[in-house]
Amino acid sequence: MEVLVYLVPLALALGFVGLLGFLWSLKSGQYDDLDGAAWRAVADDEPNGPSTPGPTSANGPARL
Amino acid sequence: MQADIDFSHYLKRTGAGLLQLDLAVEGINCASCMGKIERNLSSIPDVTSARVNLTDHRLALEWKAGALDPALFVKRLAELGYRAYPFQRNNAETLETERARSLLRRLSVAAFAAMNVMMLSIPVWSGNVSDMLPEQRDFFHWLSALIVLPAAAYSAQPFLSSAFAALRARRANMDVPISIGILLALATSLIETIGHAEHTYFDAAIMLIAFLLAGRYLDQNMRRRTRAFASNLAALKAETAAKFISPTEIRTVPAAAIKPGDIVLLRPGECCTVDGNVIEGRSEVDQSLITGETLPAIATPGSAVFAGTLVRSGTLRVRATAASGDTLLAEVSRLLDHALQARSRYLRLAERASRLYAPIVHATAFLTMLGWLASGATFHDSVVTAIAVLIITCPCALGLAIPAVQTVASGALFRSGVLLNAGDAIERIAGVNRVIFDKTGTLTLPELDVANLASIPDDVVKLAGRLALSSRHPVAAAVARAAGASEPLADIEEEPGRGVQGYYEGAPIRLGRPSFCGADILADEVLCRDPEASVVAFSHGGAKHVFAVRQRMRPDAAEVVAGLARLGIMVEIVSGDREPAVRRAAETLGIHKWRANVSPVDKVARIESLTSRSYKVLMVGDGLNDAPALAAAHASMSPVTATHMSQAVADAVFLGERLGPVMTAVSGSRRALLLMRQNLWLAVVYNVLAVPVAIAGLVTPLIAAAAMSASSVLVMLNALRARTREAV
């Protein structure tokens, strides 16, 4: 029974580490998009195709 | 059109020389959209990150400052087939998100503590019937206290602060009995631990907190999601205004960035996005969204225009005002305040349940204590038994009963195109037994449509449609839509206020006012047949034709009226439009009760007279003139095309061309209310079974924990039944 004095705090400490882990994941925004996250897991990670530079002309304000 | 958005209002600079932009994107509905958009936009050089949020239908972009023009992203998305518009989180949404997060944080702490306390409780429960030494038990109890007390101090704050606020205001809400139960359970357990007792309720107290927080979080998350979607809609409406940045130069800015005193240019075919006064120009304006009147009015310098006014013919310069002093708007605001005060008197189901619940439970616990004292038990034992009663009657089933159903039901409604604005919308919509529809823009679609297409030869329609592409007049746009035209004619010039003209196959071709095309007599004939239509004439050489343009009914309006009648709901039309137009709509849909030329005041009066005869009215309307009525009604809905003010006061907003969502909202809400009531009864039945056991003093912490979890899970499972949608 003496062993409980070590084991119980150890078990609690492990649980606490898990809680800290959850709080960290919440803080880093991993729960902001649950629908997306569900699909990202099964998405095919294709490497990006050839990059096509688009036009970069800036449109100024319309003039009357 | 999209190219001249002023993005500067939306860009955020990060420290590392990067720019950030959030876009609301329309049309994302599957995972492949997500991959497609991200791959395409990441491939643009200098873009450091493109991430789609599939939950909120948004796209977060980051790129090297100065490297590219943000308009490129909108263009790319348009090529992929998605409409996108920059957007900025408003304060309300940020607040909701933050609240949901903090509830989730507290929930995780409570759940962690509850699970770990179980690790200590189960040995105690099993040890109590076998060979556990009192010292060991005390050690475990102290450990439980060490875990639960700090966890509860953090995670129970929402209940404690809300209960405290209620007590300070001399009111009682659901949080008061919850807080009393939690505090008493914790205090007793601590005293029992000090007194080397056999039973403590630490585990029950923290479980109770965890279950209740789960209910709160569901409720909050539903609200956050609706709010996020509503801001997307607002962003995608792309309300911009052409603001004069110097006497001769205009720039397109988001309507939200217009301040009182700014001068705005309104061109034909544009919808005004600000309230203000005309300072220059003359035009026919369509105020149907404001007053319900479908015939155009004339705006001249000095007259007031409101957000939602459609400019038809000339160009106007408008000076924006903060709140127009015009009678209509002032009157609407006054009526609105009055109606909203009346609405706040509605008592939610949960509140009514808690008003019954708290006194009964507390009285039962008190009587239990007195009864045990009278039967000769010690004071200590009597108090512990009384507290066991408080714990076993835990409101966790009650606290979950309603939020769980609301979450599931609002999710189902969300998928069928109904966004709920108010937390108690489901209950109120479920109770209605009368529906009042506004006509213009609610029963009819906001866009115009050609009514006499059948009587005009096809080739003429096609040609007129191509010519109409050169005009910005909304009536001409309806002709172009009807013809399905896509190739404009060459060398066409517009005569403002009269029409467009040019040459086609050697003959003059014109489209516009009947007088402009010399088709007055023909136009009069058409108007005789269809008095509330707008006419537009077309002439090619000597041939003359007149198109009658009018608002079209929503395609399923008649079905919805019939469906509501099947549910036993009477339908009537109350509209600000003229009598012939309203009569015609009512006859088409088979509605016997209708009123025309109704002012905002009279709309409210009509609702109040129905309410006083104990009808519960659902008002469906879109105009500024409907806003007070929407607020005064028992429940209210607006189409997504409604004015801001109407959407803000409506309980629910429905999307799309069809009226079906109104029907879905009523039937779905009725089903949800049924389930809420069932859940409350489940909670009551559970209490009826559990309380006698507690009064008898037979409840051990083990039984309390098992009973509490079982009742909560049962209620949750029942709530999931709100998912199945009946076919409407």
Side-chain angles (χ1 to χ4, degrees), chain B residues 498-514:
Chain B
R498 298 187 63 204
V500 284
Q501 60 177 345
Y503 278 90
Y504 181 72
E505 290 175 353
I509 184 169
R510 287 182 169 201
L511 179 93
R513 287 172 182 268

Side-chain angles (χ1 to χ4, degrees), chain A residues 1 8 11-12 15-16 19 22-23 26 29 32-36 39-40 51-52 55 57 59 61-64, chain B residues 3 31 34 38 43 51-55 69 75-76 101 104-105 108 112 116 136 143 147 248-251:
Chain A
M1 277 299 158
V8 170
L12 289 183
F16 193 66
L19 175 67
F22 174 81
L23 289 177
L26 177 67
D32 291 357
D33 180 19
L34 291 173
D35 300 5
W39 285 106
R40 279 176 207 279
S51 59
T52 46
S57 65
N59 285 303
R63 303 216 170 241
L64 269 188
Chain B
M34 184 167 77
E38 287 182 0
S43 69
R51 199 170 170 90
V52 169
N53 183 328
L54 195 60
T55 315
D69 172 30
K75 205 172 116 245
R76 274 289 181 100
R101 270 197 175 192
L104 192 54
R105 266 200 306 273
S108 65
F112 152 85
N116 282 284
Q136 287 167 340
L143 273 175
I147 298 167
T248 55
E249 206 176 350
I250 57 168
R251 173 169 295 169

Side-chain angles (χ1 to χ4, degrees), chain B residues 201-341:
Chain B
Y201 291 98
F202 288 119
D203 47 12
I206 195 76
M207 247 168 76
L208 174 60
I209 295 172
F211 277 130
L212 287 169
L213 280 171
R216 290 282 152 105
Y217 174 69
L218 285 177
D219 198 35
Q220 185 64 39
N221 204 34
M222 165 186 107
R223 249 180 279 169
R224 187 202 69 80
R225 204 177 162 157
T226 313
R227 172 95 48 186
F229 210 83
S231 5
N232 277 7
L233 286 175
L236 282 162
K237 267 190 165 178
E239 298 217 316
T240 57
K243 174 183 151 185
F244 282 89
I245 50 174
S246 75
T248 55
E249 206 176 350
I250 57 168
R251 173 169 295 169
T252 309
V253 295
I258 298 279
K259 292 176 202 62
D262 285 346
I263 295 173
V264 185
L265 183 73
L266 289 175
R267 288 161 292 210
E270 281 186 354
C271 185
C272 183
T273 50
V274 296
D275 295 335
N277 294 312
V278 179
I279 51 175
E280 193 183 302
R282 182 188 162 85
S283 168
E284 279 186 348
V285 291
D286 173 355
Q287 296 212 332
S288 63
L289 199 57
I290 318 292
T291 58
E293 166 70 63
T294 40
L295 280 187
I298 301 289
T300 53
S303 53
V305 289
F306 306 101
T309 305
L310 192 67
V311 180
R312 282 195 162 189
S313 45
T315 306
L316 297 174
R317 282 192 188 209
V318 172
R319 184 189 304 279
T321 49
S324 313
D326 182 270
T327 48
L328 175 77
L329 201 69
E331 181 187 60
V332 165
S333 319
R334 196 173 44 75
L335 285 166
L336 208 57
D337 288 345
H338 181 73
L340 285 172
Q341 272 166 9

